[in-house]
Amino acid sequence: MKTIQNKPFEEKQSTELAIGTFTISTLLFMLYIVSNESPNILVIAWPFALSGIVLNSIMLFHLTERFIHLPAHRRDIAVKILIILSNIPITFLYYLAVMKS
């Protein structure tokens, strides 16, 4: 017989990644605004933004795969997917603000 375990879905890396990329991108955006829109800040910010997009995309695909294969934990995984996806509109707003200035 196969035993079904009701262990909670514990994956903290996705939430830490989302919060970390949000925090660092917000700090870089504020530094850019405070420094009178210095192009030197963009030299640091653009590679970070690109790597953040890549890492968050990898985590999104990982969570999507877990969502498909772990039906008992779909609610927890869906919340983590929404947390990752919440970075998209925030980053887009930062991008628009930088491009308008």
Side-chain angles (χ1 to χ4, degrees):
M1 276 182 148
K2 188 175 181 179
T3 305
I4 298 175
Q5 297 178 1
N6 289 331
K7 294 176 12 181
F9 183 75
E10 294 183 17
E11 183 172 327
K12 297 177 184 174
Q13 295 87 1
S14 62
T15 305
E16 291 171 356
L17 176 67
I19 292 171
T21 55
F22 169 74
T23 303
I24 294 171
S25 63
T26 300
L27 289 174
L28 287 171
F29 178 69
M30 289 189 318
L31 186 61
Y32 175 74
I33 298 299
V34 169
S35 70
N36 291 328
E37 301 169 358
S38 170
N40 294 331
I41 304 299
L42 292 179
V43 171
I44 298 168
W46 287 118
F48 172 77
L50 182 61
S51 64
I53 290 169
V54 169
L55 289 174
N56 280 306
S57 297
I58 291 169
M59 185 58 75
L60 178 63
F61 288 126
H62 169 72
L63 288 173
T64 304
E65 187 264 335
R66 304 310 302 162
F67 185 83
I68 292 169
H69 294 298
L70 297 174
H73 300 289
R74 284 192 176 158
R75 184 170 189 263
D76 295 332
I77 297 170
V79 169
K80 293 184 183 302
I81 288 173
L82 290 175
I83 291 171
I84 289 283
L85 289 176
S86 68
N87 277 335
I88 294 172
I90 295 166
T91 305
F92 184 67
L93 289 174
Y94 291 166
Y95 173 77
L96 288 179
V98 169
M99 289 298 118
K100 295 238 181 200
S101 56

